[in-house]
Amino acid sequence: MIQETAPDPAVRRLLKESNAYEADAQLSALISGQVRPAIERIVRHELIGATGSTAALADDIEDVSAQAVASVIGKITNLRNNPGDSPISDLKGYSARCAYNACGMYLRSRYPVRARVAAQVRSVLRSNDALAAWQGSDGRLVAGRAHWQSSPTKAPTTNERLLEEKPAEAASKLKADLPPNPDKTIDLVVRALDWYGGPMPLAKLIALVMEVRGERDLARAEDLPSTEDADTLVERQASSSAGADAVAELREYLRAVWAEVNLLPKRQAQALLLNFRDSRGNGMLEFLILTSVAGTADIATTLGWSEDELREAWPDLPWEDAKIAKYLGGTTVDVSNLRSVARRRIERRLSN
């Protein structure tokens, strides 16, 4: 939980406004003028810096930014309703922390290898007094030697430009300067920072450590839908030149499917979603969440459940037909028929 001690002037003015309409107008202006631009800048930098992707992340950047903005709005709304709660002392800093929290959740779920390396790098920075991580003037997290925090900004170094333009070549150059098989993360972090020559964006440091080690997250084809359209996209995704377009197209396809699921009669939707699997038998509800097609609240609503009910059932999903039949008060044949009708309806509507 983020603890704040002294109120930010802009937030304080908003909280003192007694007219609800004026307060909402001030909040809207605050979000559009200060909060959202700062958050979007951080999220874009963190996600692109961490993944090296651009086009394929457009929707994700928007979704992650929206989550962070919602956190800020939620905090301010809570302060309006509960004036005694800990205030926001620095709106810019609070927005930045919400942005980093949202990015962290996204990256941990999508990129587990990067999440592990990031935790190792942050641990090194926290535990070594000679090193530090801090928020730069643009709101982004940077890392470096502790005494660099007070150093004036300088022109980009040759290695900094190399990392920006040719990250793989930069990693190879750094690796050539390392002792054989460095087994400690701290050795690699210190060498990378000195090689960079100044405060280094934390996302770039993490990405460079991964590149030097040869560690990377791989897409899991087994998590993709088992439809003919999705199979075609998986094959196309194997081509690096078509990867971004394939991922974007797949997300759009799943969104179209999800929209049709929400038009199904309730029992058909339940029969389909409670046994939602790919061709290998793997559950697919998690995939909807990971691709930002639907959230847990959306899935719960479509099932006619509360989020607590979904959370309780989640570890056991997908259910076998016998369990679905017992829940719906029918037979396994009824469940199979409901699901079959639902699939045919969706395929027919998508083909029109």
PDB file of all heavy atoms in Angstrom, residues 244-283:
ATOM      1  N   ALA A 244       4.077  -9.259 -35.396  1.00  0.00           N
ATOM      2  CA  ALA A 244       3.274  -8.189 -34.800  1.00  0.00           C
ATOM      3  C   ALA A 244       1.871  -8.160 -35.387  1.00  0.00           C
ATOM      4  O   ALA A 244       0.889  -8.039 -34.666  1.00  0.00           O
ATOM      5  CB  ALA A 244       3.970  -6.842 -35.028  1.00  0.00           C
ATOM      6  N   ASP A 245       1.777  -8.287 -36.718  1.00  0.00           N
ATOM      7  CA  ASP A 245       0.464  -8.280 -37.363  1.00  0.00           C
ATOM      8  C   ASP A 245      -0.364  -9.472 -36.924  1.00  0.00           C
ATOM      9  O   ASP A 245      -1.578  -9.373 -36.731  1.00  0.00           O
ATOM     10  CB  ASP A 245       0.623  -8.307 -38.889  1.00  0.00           C
ATOM     11  CG  ASP A 245       1.189  -6.998 -39.419  1.00  0.00           C
ATOM     12  OD1 ASP A 245       1.069  -5.983 -38.713  1.00  0.00           O
ATOM     13  OD2 ASP A 245       1.746  -7.013 -40.528  1.00  0.00           O
ATOM     14  N   ALA A 246       0.289 -10.636 -36.762  1.00  0.00           N
ATOM     15  CA  ALA A 246      -0.428 -11.845 -36.364  1.00  0.00           C
ATOM     16  C   ALA A 246      -1.019 -11.710 -34.974  1.00  0.00           C
ATOM     17  O   ALA A 246      -2.170 -12.076 -34.723  1.00  0.00           O
ATOM     18  CB  ALA A 246       0.511 -13.056 -36.420  1.00  0.00           C
ATOM     19  N   VAL A 247      -0.211 -11.183 -34.045  1.00  0.00           N
ATOM     20  CA  VAL A 247      -0.702 -11.014 -32.674  1.00  0.00           C
ATOM     21  C   VAL A 247      -1.864 -10.031 -32.640  1.00  0.00           C
ATOM     22  O   VAL A 247      -2.871 -10.258 -31.970  1.00  0.00           O
ATOM     23  CB  VAL A 247       0.442 -10.535 -31.754  1.00  0.00           C
ATOM     24  CG1 VAL A 247      -0.098 -10.172 -30.380  1.00  0.00           C
ATOM     25  CG2 VAL A 247       1.507 -11.609 -31.627  1.00  0.00           C
ATOM     26  N   ALA A 248      -1.729  -8.923 -33.363  1.00  0.00           N
ATOM     27  CA  ALA A 248      -2.798  -7.927 -33.391  1.00  0.00           C
ATOM     28  C   ALA A 248      -4.065  -8.510 -33.996  1.00  0.00           C
ATOM     29  O   ALA A 248      -5.176  -8.276 -33.503  1.00  0.00           O
ATOM     30  CB  ALA A 248      -2.335  -6.707 -34.192  1.00  0.00           C
ATOM     31  N   GLU A 249      -3.905  -9.289 -35.078  1.00  0.00           N
ATOM     32  CA  GLU A 249      -5.069  -9.886 -35.726  1.00  0.00           C
ATOM     33  C   GLU A 249      -5.726 -10.922 -34.823  1.00  0.00           C
ATOM     34  O   GLU A 249      -6.954 -11.028 -34.759  1.00  0.00           O
ATOM     35  CB  GLU A 249      -4.641 -10.525 -37.047  1.00  0.00           C
ATOM     36  CG  GLU A 249      -5.814 -11.039 -37.881  1.00  0.00           C
ATOM     37  CD  GLU A 249      -5.375 -11.611 -39.221  1.00  0.00           C
ATOM     38  OE1 GLU A 249      -4.238 -11.326 -39.641  1.00  0.00           O
ATOM     39  OE2 GLU A 249      -6.173 -12.352 -39.820  1.00  0.00           O
ATOM     40  N   LEU A 250      -4.913 -11.687 -34.113  1.00  0.00           N
ATOM     41  CA  LEU A 250      -5.445 -12.694 -33.204  1.00  0.00           C
ATOM     42  C   LEU A 250      -6.259 -12.042 -32.097  1.00  0.00           C
ATOM     43  O   LEU A 250      -7.344 -12.504 -31.739  1.00  0.00           O
ATOM     44  CB  LEU A 250      -4.291 -13.505 -32.599  1.00  0.00           C
ATOM     45  CG  LEU A 250      -4.681 -14.545 -31.534  1.00  0.00           C
ATOM     46  CD1 LEU A 250      -5.690 -15.539 -32.077  1.00  0.00           C
ATOM     47  CD2 LEU A 250      -3.443 -15.252 -31.011  1.00  0.00           C
ATOM     48  N   ARG A 251      -5.742 -10.936 -31.550  1.00  0.00           N
ATOM     49  CA  ARG A 251      -6.479 -10.246 -30.491  1.00  0.00           C
ATOM     50  C   ARG A 251      -7.828  -9.749 -31.009  1.00  0.00           C
ATOM     51  O   ARG A 251      -8.847  -9.852 -30.324  1.00  0.00           O
ATOM     52  CB  ARG A 251      -5.644  -9.083 -29.946  1.00  0.00           C
ATOM     53  CG  ARG A 251      -6.340  -8.356 -28.795  1.00  0.00           C
ATOM     54  CD  ARG A 251      -5.506  -7.209 -28.271  1.00  0.00           C
ATOM     55  NE  ARG A 251      -4.373  -7.699 -27.500  1.00  0.00           N
ATOM     56  CZ  ARG A 251      -3.109  -7.603 -27.894  1.00  0.00           C
ATOM     57  NH1 ARG A 251      -2.827  -7.054 -29.053  1.00  0.00           N
ATOM     58  NH2 ARG A 251      -2.143  -8.065 -27.148  1.00  0.00           N
ATOM     59  N   GLU A 252      -7.837  -9.210 -32.230  1.00  0.00           N
ATOM     60  CA  GLU A 252      -9.086  -8.726 -32.802  1.00  0.00           C
ATOM     61  C   GLU A 252     -10.067  -9.875 -33.025  1.00  0.00           C
ATOM     62  O   GLU A 252     -11.270  -9.735 -32.817  1.00  0.00           O
ATOM     63  CB  GLU A 252      -8.812  -7.992 -34.126  1.00  0.00           C
ATOM     64  CG  GLU A 252      -8.130  -6.643 -33.958  1.00  0.00           C
ATOM     65  CD  GLU A 252      -8.882  -5.751 -32.987  1.00  0.00           C
ATOM     66  OE1 GLU A 252     -10.101  -5.568 -33.175  1.00  0.00           O
ATOM     67  OE2 GLU A 252      -8.258  -5.259 -32.030  1.00  0.00           O
ATOM     68  N   TYR A 253      -9.546 -11.022 -33.456  1.00  0.00           N
ATOM     69  CA  TYR A 253     -10.402 -12.191 -33.659  1.00  0.00           C
ATOM     70  C   TYR A 253     -11.033 -12.629 -32.333  1.00  0.00           C
ATOM     71  O   TYR A 253     -12.242 -12.894 -32.256  1.00  0.00           O
ATOM     72  CB  TYR A 253      -9.585 -13.337 -34.263  1.00  0.00           C
ATOM     73  CG  TYR A 253     -10.352 -14.638 -34.362  1.00  0.00           C
ATOM     74  CD1 TYR A 253     -11.293 -14.840 -35.358  1.00  0.00           C
ATOM     75  CD2 TYR A 253     -10.131 -15.656 -33.439  1.00  0.00           C
ATOM     76  CE1 TYR A 253     -12.008 -16.024 -35.440  1.00  0.00           C
ATOM     77  CE2 TYR A 253     -10.835 -16.843 -33.514  1.00  0.00           C
ATOM     78  CZ  TYR A 253     -11.773 -17.026 -34.517  1.00  0.00           C
ATOM     79  OH  TYR A 253     -12.479 -18.198 -34.582  1.00  0.00           O
ATOM     80  N   LEU A 254     -10.219 -12.691 -31.282  1.00  0.00           N
ATOM     81  CA  LEU A 254     -10.731 -13.113 -29.979  1.00  0.00           C
ATOM     82  C   LEU A 254     -11.751 -12.116 -29.430  1.00  0.00           C
ATOM     83  O   LEU A 254     -12.719 -12.504 -28.779  1.00  0.00           O
ATOM     84  CB  LEU A 254      -9.572 -13.277 -28.992  1.00  0.00           C
ATOM     85  CG  LEU A 254      -8.682 -14.503 -29.219  1.00  0.00           C
ATOM     86  CD1 LEU A 254      -7.501 -14.478 -28.263  1.00  0.00           C
ATOM     87  CD2 LEU A 254      -9.475 -15.785 -29.025  1.00  0.00           C
ATOM     88  N   ARG A 255     -11.527 -10.848 -29.691  1.00  0.00           N
ATOM     89  CA  ARG A 255     -12.495  -9.852 -29.242  1.00  0.00           C
ATOM     90  C   ARG A 255     -13.832 -10.043 -29.948  1.00  0.00           C
ATOM     91  O   ARG A 255     -14.891  -9.864 -29.338  1.00  0.00           O
ATOM     92  CB  ARG A 255     -11.948  -8.440 -29.499  1.00  0.00           C
ATOM     93  CG  ARG A 255     -10.906  -8.010 -28.487  1.00  0.00           C
ATOM     94  CD  ARG A 255     -10.306  -6.668 -28.822  1.00  0.00           C
ATOM     95  NE  ARG A 255      -9.438  -6.208 -27.738  1.00  0.00           N
ATOM     96  CZ  ARG A 255      -8.547  -5.245 -27.846  1.00  0.00           C
ATOM     97  NH1 ARG A 255      -8.409  -4.621 -29.001  1.00  0.00           N
ATOM     98  NH2 ARG A 255      -7.792  -4.897 -26.822  1.00  0.00           N
ATOM     99  N   ALA A 256     -13.781 -10.402 -31.222  1.00  0.00           N
ATOM    100  CA  ALA A 256     -15.013 -10.651 -31.967  1.00  0.00           C
ATOM    101  C   ALA A 256     -15.731 -11.870 -31.389  1.00  0.00           C
ATOM    102  O   ALA A 256     -16.958 -11.875 -31.229  1.00  0.00           O
ATOM    103  CB  ALA A 256     -14.711 -10.856 -33.446  1.00  0.00           C
ATOM    104  N   VAL A 257     -14.951 -12.924 -31.071  1.00  0.00           N
ATOM    105  CA  VAL A 257     -15.544 -14.125 -30.471  1.00  0.00           C
ATOM    106  C   VAL A 257     -16.167 -13.791 -29.127  1.00  0.00           C
ATOM    107  O   VAL A 257     -17.296 -14.204 -28.823  1.00  0.00           O
ATOM    108  CB  VAL A 257     -14.475 -15.228 -30.308  1.00  0.00           C
ATOM    109  CG1 VAL A 257     -15.027 -16.390 -29.478  1.00  0.00           C
ATOM    110  CG2 VAL A 257     -14.014 -15.733 -31.669  1.00  0.00           C
ATOM    111  N   TRP A 258     -15.436 -13.019 -28.306  1.00  0.00           N
ATOM    112  CA  TRP A 258     -15.938 -12.683 -26.976  1.00  0.00           C
ATOM    113  C   TRP A 258     -17.224 -11.858 -27.067  1.00  0.00           C
ATOM    114  O   TRP A 258     -18.151 -12.046 -26.267  1.00  0.00           O
ATOM    115  CB  TRP A 258     -14.872 -11.933 -26.190  1.00  0.00           C
ATOM    116  CG  TRP A 258     -15.318 -11.519 -24.820  1.00  0.00           C
ATOM    117  CD1 TRP A 258     -15.518 -10.253 -24.352  1.00  0.00           C
ATOM    118  CD2 TRP A 258     -15.646 -12.389 -23.725  1.00  0.00           C
ATOM    119  NE1 TRP A 258     -15.947 -10.270 -23.055  1.00  0.00           N
ATOM    120  CE2 TRP A 258     -16.036 -11.568 -22.645  1.00  0.00           C
ATOM    121  CE3 TRP A 258     -15.652 -13.772 -23.564  1.00  0.00           C
ATOM    122  CZ2 TRP A 258     -16.415 -12.084 -21.416  1.00  0.00           C
ATOM    123  CZ3 TRP A 258     -16.047 -14.290 -22.341  1.00  0.00           C
ATOM    124  CH2 TRP A 258     -16.417 -13.456 -21.282  1.00  0.00           C
ATOM    125  N   ALA A 259     -17.280 -10.959 -28.021  1.00  0.00           N
ATOM    126  CA  ALA A 259     -18.495 -10.158 -28.201  1.00  0.00           C
ATOM    127  C   ALA A 259     -19.683 -11.059 -28.508  1.00  0.00           C
ATOM    128  O   ALA A 259     -20.801 -10.823 -28.006  1.00  0.00           O
ATOM    129  CB  ALA A 259     -18.289  -9.144 -29.328  1.00  0.00           C
ATOM    130  N   GLU A 260     -19.468 -12.101 -29.322  1.00  0.00           N
ATOM    131  CA  GLU A 260     -20.550 -13.027 -29.657  1.00  0.00           C
ATOM    132  C   GLU A 260     -20.928 -13.887 -28.458  1.00  0.00           C
ATOM    133  O   GLU A 260     -22.108 -14.213 -28.266  1.00  0.00           O
ATOM    134  CB  GLU A 260     -20.144 -13.915 -30.837  1.00  0.00           C
ATOM    135  CG  GLU A 260     -19.972 -13.176 -32.149  1.00  0.00           C
ATOM    136  CD  GLU A 260     -21.233 -12.448 -32.568  1.00  0.00           C
ATOM    137  OE1 GLU A 260     -22.342 -12.940 -32.285  1.00  0.00           O
ATOM    138  OE2 GLU A 260     -21.116 -11.360 -33.169  1.00  0.00           O
ATOM    139  N   VAL A 261     -19.942 -14.261 -27.644  1.00  0.00           N
ATOM    140  CA  VAL A 261     -20.234 -15.054 -26.439  1.00  0.00           C
ATOM    141  C   VAL A 261     -21.200 -14.300 -25.540  1.00  0.00           C
ATOM    142  O   VAL A 261     -22.119 -14.874 -24.947  1.00  0.00           O
ATOM    143  CB  VAL A 261     -18.930 -15.388 -25.678  1.00  0.00           C
ATOM    144  CG1 VAL A 261     -19.250 -15.972 -24.296  1.00  0.00           C
ATOM    145  CG2 VAL A 261     -18.086 -16.377 -26.466  1.00  0.00           C
ATOM    146  N   ASN A 262     -21.016 -12.978 -25.469  1.00  0.00           N
ATOM    147  CA  ASN A 262     -21.870 -12.174 -24.597  1.00  0.00           C
ATOM    148  C   ASN A 262     -23.283 -12.012 -25.125  1.00  0.00           C
ATOM    149  O   ASN A 262     -24.161 -11.525 -24.400  1.00  0.00           O
ATOM    150  CB  ASN A 262     -21.230 -10.799 -24.378  1.00  0.00           C
ATOM    151  CG  ASN A 262     -20.132 -10.830 -23.336  1.00  0.00           C
ATOM    152  OD1 ASN A 262     -20.394 -10.797 -22.142  1.00  0.00           O
ATOM    153  ND2 ASN A 262     -18.889 -10.912 -23.790  1.00  0.00           N
ATOM    154  N   LEU A 263     -23.520 -12.408 -26.384  1.00  0.00           N
ATOM    155  CA  LEU A 263     -24.871 -12.368 -26.950  1.00  0.00           C
ATOM    156  C   LEU A 263     -25.592 -13.701 -26.820  1.00  0.00           C
ATOM    157  O   LEU A 263     -26.773 -13.802 -27.151  1.00  0.00           O
ATOM    158  CB  LEU A 263     -24.791 -11.962 -28.432  1.00  0.00           C
ATOM    159  CG  LEU A 263     -24.242 -10.551 -28.717  1.00  0.00           C
ATOM    160  CD1 LEU A 263     -24.146 -10.332 -30.227  1.00  0.00           C
ATOM    161  CD2 LEU A 263     -25.118  -9.491 -28.080  1.00  0.00           C
ATOM    162  N   LEU A 264     -24.892 -14.728 -26.341  1.00  0.00           N
ATOM    163  CA  LEU A 264     -25.498 -16.056 -26.198  1.00  0.00           C
ATOM    164  C   LEU A 264     -26.495 -16.082 -25.040  1.00  0.00           C
ATOM    165  O   LEU A 264     -26.342 -15.334 -24.064  1.00  0.00           O
ATOM    166  CB  LEU A 264     -24.418 -17.104 -25.931  1.00  0.00           C
ATOM    167  CG  LEU A 264     -23.409 -17.393 -27.044  1.00  0.00           C
ATOM    168  CD1 LEU A 264     -22.299 -18.299 -26.504  1.00  0.00           C
ATOM    169  CD2 LEU A 264     -24.101 -18.050 -28.236  1.00  0.00           C
ATOM    170  N   PRO A 265     -27.479 -16.961 -25.118  1.00  0.00           N
ATOM    171  CA  PRO A 265     -28.311 -17.209 -23.939  1.00  0.00           C
ATOM    172  C   PRO A 265     -27.420 -17.668 -22.789  1.00  0.00           C
ATOM    173  O   PRO A 265     -26.375 -18.299 -23.017  1.00  0.00           O
ATOM    174  CB  PRO A 265     -29.248 -18.333 -24.404  1.00  0.00           C
ATOM    175  CG  PRO A 265     -29.307 -18.176 -25.888  1.00  0.00           C
ATOM    176  CD  PRO A 265     -27.941 -17.724 -26.297  1.00  0.00           C
ATOM    177  N   LYS A 266     -27.832 -17.364 -21.588  1.00  0.00           N
ATOM    178  CA  LYS A 266     -26.982 -17.588 -20.430  1.00  0.00           C
ATOM    179  C   LYS A 266     -26.499 -19.031 -20.316  1.00  0.00           C
ATOM    180  O   LYS A 266     -25.297 -19.277 -20.090  1.00  0.00           O
ATOM    181  CB  LYS A 266     -27.730 -17.183 -19.157  1.00  0.00           C
ATOM    182  CG  LYS A 266     -26.912 -17.333 -17.880  1.00  0.00           C
ATOM    183  CD  LYS A 266     -27.708 -16.866 -16.678  1.00  0.00           C
ATOM    184  CE  LYS A 266     -26.943 -17.081 -15.392  1.00  0.00           C
ATOM    185  NZ  LYS A 266     -27.719 -16.625 -14.203  1.00  0.00           N
ATOM    186  N   ARG A 267     -27.373 -20.021 -20.479  1.00  0.00           N
ATOM    187  CA  ARG A 267     -26.973 -21.416 -20.310  1.00  0.00           C
ATOM    188  C   ARG A 267     -25.976 -21.843 -21.391  1.00  0.00           C
ATOM    189  O   ARG A 267     -25.062 -22.630 -21.125  1.00  0.00           O
ATOM    190  CB  ARG A 267     -28.205 -22.327 -20.305  1.00  0.00           C
ATOM    191  CG  ARG A 267     -29.002 -22.243 -18.999  1.00  0.00           C
ATOM    192  CD  ARG A 267     -30.349 -22.948 -19.130  1.00  0.00           C
ATOM    193  NE  ARG A 267     -30.220 -24.361 -19.404  1.00  0.00           N
ATOM    194  CZ  ARG A 267     -30.019 -25.311 -18.488  1.00  0.00           C
ATOM    195  NH1 ARG A 267     -29.897 -24.960 -17.217  1.00  0.00           N
ATOM    196  NH2 ARG A 267     -29.957 -26.577 -18.819  1.00  0.00           N
ATOM    197  N   GLN A 268     -26.134 -21.332 -22.614  1.00  0.00           N
ATOM    198  CA  GLN A 268     -25.171 -21.655 -23.665  1.00  0.00           C
ATOM    199  C   GLN A 268     -23.800 -21.068 -23.330  1.00  0.00           C
ATOM    200  O   GLN A 268     -22.766 -21.733 -23.500  1.00  0.00           O
ATOM    201  CB  GLN A 268     -25.652 -21.115 -25.011  1.00  0.00           C
ATOM    202  CG  GLN A 268     -26.843 -21.847 -25.596  1.00  0.00           C
ATOM    203  CD  GLN A 268     -27.226 -21.306 -26.957  1.00  0.00           C
ATOM    204  OE1 GLN A 268     -26.432 -20.666 -27.640  1.00  0.00           O
ATOM    205  NE2 GLN A 268     -28.473 -21.557 -27.368  1.00  0.00           N
ATOM    206  N   ALA A 269     -23.789 -19.830 -22.867  1.00  0.00           N
ATOM    207  CA  ALA A 269     -22.528 -19.187 -22.499  1.00  0.00           C
ATOM    208  C   ALA A 269     -21.851 -19.940 -21.363  1.00  0.00           C
ATOM    209  O   ALA A 269     -20.623 -20.137 -21.367  1.00  0.00           O
ATOM    210  CB  ALA A 269     -22.766 -17.735 -22.109  1.00  0.00           C
ATOM    211  N   GLN A 270     -22.632 -20.379 -20.383  1.00  0.00           N
ATOM    212  CA  GLN A 270     -22.066 -21.124 -19.261  1.00  0.00           C
ATOM    213  C   GLN A 270     -21.493 -22.458 -19.721  1.00  0.00           C
ATOM    214  O   GLN A 270     -20.387 -22.842 -19.328  1.00  0.00           O
ATOM    215  CB  GLN A 270     -23.133 -21.340 -18.185  1.00  0.00           C
ATOM    216  CG  GLN A 270     -23.526 -20.067 -17.450  1.00  0.00           C
ATOM    217  CD  GLN A 270     -24.690 -20.287 -16.505  1.00  0.00           C
ATOM    218  OE1 GLN A 270     -25.581 -21.114 -16.758  1.00  0.00           O
ATOM    219  NE2 GLN A 270     -24.713 -19.543 -15.409  1.00  0.00           N
ATOM    220  N   ALA A 271     -22.225 -23.183 -20.560  1.00  0.00           N
ATOM    221  CA  ALA A 271     -21.748 -24.475 -21.057  1.00  0.00           C
ATOM    222  C   ALA A 271     -20.454 -24.316 -21.849  1.00  0.00           C
ATOM    223  O   ALA A 271     -19.562 -25.173 -21.792  1.00  0.00           O
ATOM    224  CB  ALA A 271     -22.816 -25.140 -21.920  1.00  0.00           C
ATOM    225  N   LEU A 272     -20.358 -23.220 -22.582  1.00  0.00           N
ATOM    226  CA  LEU A 272     -19.158 -22.973 -23.391  1.00  0.00           C
ATOM    227  C   LEU A 272     -17.978 -22.547 -22.524  1.00  0.00           C
ATOM    228  O   LEU A 272     -16.879 -23.110 -22.618  1.00  0.00           O
ATOM    229  CB  LEU A 272     -19.460 -21.894 -24.429  1.00  0.00           C
ATOM    230  CG  LEU A 272     -18.323 -21.519 -25.386  1.00  0.00           C
ATOM    231  CD1 LEU A 272     -17.962 -22.700 -26.273  1.00  0.00           C
ATOM    232  CD2 LEU A 272     -18.719 -20.322 -26.236  1.00  0.00           C
ATOM    233  N   LEU A 273     -18.170 -21.561 -21.667  1.00  0.00           N
ATOM    234  CA  LEU A 273     -17.059 -20.986 -20.917  1.00  0.00           C
ATOM    235  C   LEU A 273     -16.551 -21.887 -19.797  1.00  0.00           C
ATOM    236  O   LEU A 273     -15.351 -21.904 -19.504  1.00  0.00           O
ATOM    237  CB  LEU A 273     -17.463 -19.636 -20.331  1.00  0.00           C
ATOM    238  CG  LEU A 273     -17.711 -18.506 -21.337  1.00  0.00           C
ATOM    239  CD1 LEU A 273     -18.126 -17.241 -20.608  1.00  0.00           C
ATOM    240  CD2 LEU A 273     -16.458 -18.245 -22.170  1.00  0.00           C
ATOM    241  N   LEU A 274     -17.436 -22.627 -19.161  1.00  0.00           N
ATOM    242  CA  LEU A 274     -17.000 -23.472 -18.043  1.00  0.00           C
ATOM    243  C   LEU A 274     -16.160 -24.654 -18.510  1.00  0.00           C
ATOM    244  O   LEU A 274     -15.480 -25.292 -17.703  1.00  0.00           O
ATOM    245  CB  LEU A 274     -18.211 -23.973 -17.247  1.00  0.00           C
ATOM    246  CG  LEU A 274     -18.966 -22.893 -16.471  1.00  0.00           C
ATOM    247  CD1 LEU A 274     -20.222 -23.464 -15.825  1.00  0.00           C
ATOM    248  CD2 LEU A 274     -18.055 -22.253 -15.416  1.00  0.00           C
ATOM    249  N   ASN A 275     -16.192 -24.948 -19.817  1.00  0.00           N
ATOM    250  CA  ASN A 275     -15.357 -26.008 -20.381  1.00  0.00           C
ATOM    251  C   ASN A 275     -14.523 -25.462 -21.539  1.00  0.00           C
ATOM    252  O   ASN A 275     -14.225 -26.132 -22.506  1.00  0.00           O
ATOM    253  CB  ASN A 275     -16.227 -27.180 -20.868  1.00  0.00           C
ATOM    254  CG  ASN A 275     -15.398 -28.354 -21.337  1.00  0.00           C
ATOM    255  OD1 ASN A 275     -15.221 -28.559 -22.540  1.00  0.00           O
ATOM    256  ND2 ASN A 275     -14.885 -29.143 -20.408  1.00  0.00           N
ATOM    257  N   PHE A 276     -14.136 -24.188 -21.412  1.00  0.00           N
ATOM    258  CA  PHE A 276     -13.439 -23.497 -22.502  1.00  0.00           C
ATOM    259  C   PHE A 276     -12.003 -24.011 -22.589  1.00  0.00           C
ATOM    260  O   PHE A 276     -11.156 -23.693 -21.754  1.00  0.00           O
ATOM    261  CB  PHE A 276     -13.460 -21.998 -22.220  1.00  0.00           C
ATOM    262  CG  PHE A 276     -13.218 -21.137 -23.425  1.00  0.00           C
ATOM    263  CD1 PHE A 276     -13.617 -21.537 -24.680  1.00  0.00           C
ATOM    264  CD2 PHE A 276     -12.603 -19.897 -23.295  1.00  0.00           C
ATOM    265  CE1 PHE A 276     -13.410 -20.728 -25.796  1.00  0.00           C
ATOM    266  CE2 PHE A 276     -12.389 -19.086 -24.398  1.00  0.00           C
ATOM    267  CZ  PHE A 276     -12.791 -19.506 -25.644  1.00  0.00           C
ATOM    268  N   ARG A 277     -11.708 -24.818 -23.631  1.00  0.00           N
ATOM    269  CA  ARG A 277     -10.397 -25.445 -23.783  1.00  0.00           C
ATOM    270  C   ARG A 277      -9.883 -25.286 -25.200  1.00  0.00           C
ATOM    271  O   ARG A 277     -10.641 -25.037 -26.130  1.00  0.00           O
ATOM    272  CB  ARG A 277     -10.473 -26.963 -23.486  1.00  0.00           C
ATOM    273  CG  ARG A 277     -11.031 -27.363 -22.131  1.00  0.00           C
ATOM    274  CD  ARG A 277     -11.206 -28.872 -22.068  1.00  0.00           C
ATOM    275  NE  ARG A 277     -11.881 -29.323 -20.869  1.00  0.00           N
ATOM    276  CZ  ARG A 277     -11.254 -29.768 -19.785  1.00  0.00           C
ATOM    277  NH1 ARG A 277      -9.932 -29.810 -19.771  1.00  0.00           N
ATOM    278  NH2 ARG A 277     -11.938 -30.170 -18.730  1.00  0.00           N
ATOM    279  N   ASP A 278      -8.546 -25.480 -25.344  1.00  0.00           N
ATOM    280  CA  ASP A 278      -7.991 -25.556 -26.692  1.00  0.00           C
ATOM    281  C   ASP A 278      -7.928 -27.032 -27.107  1.00  0.00           C
ATOM    282  O   ASP A 278      -8.415 -27.915 -26.393  1.00  0.00           O
ATOM    283  CB  ASP A 278      -6.610 -24.889 -26.761  1.00  0.00           C
ATOM    284  CG  ASP A 278      -5.565 -25.571 -25.885  1.00  0.00           C
ATOM    285  OD1 ASP A 278      -5.825 -26.691 -25.406  1.00  0.00           O
ATOM    286  OD2 ASP A 278      -4.481 -24.987 -25.690  1.00  0.00           O
ATOM    287  N   SER A 279      -7.325 -27.296 -28.260  1.00  0.00           N
ATOM    288  CA  SER A 279      -7.317 -28.658 -28.788  1.00  0.00           C
ATOM    289  C   SER A 279      -6.494 -29.606 -27.933  1.00  0.00           C
ATOM    290  O   SER A 279      -6.619 -30.827 -28.043  1.00  0.00           O
ATOM    291  CB  SER A 279      -6.770 -28.663 -30.219  1.00  0.00           C
ATOM    292  OG  SER A 279      -5.462 -28.125 -30.253  1.00  0.00           O
ATOM    293  N   ARG A 280      -5.621 -29.071 -27.059  1.00  0.00           N
ATOM    294  CA  ARG A 280      -4.802 -29.907 -26.188  1.00  0.00           C
ATOM    295  C   ARG A 280      -5.430 -30.102 -24.813  1.00  0.00           C
ATOM    296  O   ARG A 280      -4.844 -30.704 -23.934  1.00  0.00           O
ATOM    297  CB  ARG A 280      -3.409 -29.292 -26.035  1.00  0.00           C
ATOM    298  CG  ARG A 280      -2.642 -29.187 -27.351  1.00  0.00           C
ATOM    299  CD  ARG A 280      -1.358 -28.385 -27.150  1.00  0.00           C
ATOM    300  NE  ARG A 280      -0.602 -28.270 -28.382  1.00  0.00           N
ATOM    301  CZ  ARG A 280      -0.863 -27.389 -29.341  1.00  0.00           C
ATOM    302  NH1 ARG A 280      -1.872 -26.551 -29.198  1.00  0.00           N
ATOM    303  NH2 ARG A 280      -0.126 -27.334 -30.432  1.00  0.00           N
ATOM    304  N   GLY A 281      -6.610 -29.516 -24.620  1.00  0.00           N
ATOM    305  CA  GLY A 281      -7.299 -29.665 -23.343  1.00  0.00           C
ATOM    306  C   GLY A 281      -6.936 -28.609 -22.321  1.00  0.00           C
ATOM    307  O   GLY A 281      -7.366 -28.667 -21.173  1.00  0.00           O
ATOM    308  N   ASN A 282      -6.128 -27.616 -22.714  1.00  0.00           N
ATOM    309  CA  ASN A 282      -5.730 -26.559 -21.785  1.00  0.00           C
ATOM    310  C   ASN A 282      -6.857 -25.527 -21.639  1.00  0.00           C
ATOM    311  O   ASN A 282      -7.519 -25.186 -22.614  1.00  0.00           O
ATOM    312  CB  ASN A 282      -4.467 -25.846 -22.285  1.00  0.00           C
ATOM    313  CG  ASN A 282      -3.280 -26.784 -22.390  1.00  0.00           C
ATOM    314  OD1 ASN A 282      -3.009 -27.538 -21.470  1.00  0.00           O
ATOM    315  ND2 ASN A 282      -2.592 -26.743 -23.509  1.00  0.00           N
ATOM    316  N   GLY A 283      -7.039 -25.022 -20.408  1.00  0.00           N
ATOM    317  CA  GLY A 283      -8.055 -24.004 -20.183  1.00  0.00           C
ATOM    318  C   GLY A 283      -7.741 -22.722 -20.926  1.00  0.00           C
ATOM    319  O   GLY A 283      -6.582 -22.318 -21.040  1.00  0.00           O
TER     320      GLY A 283
END
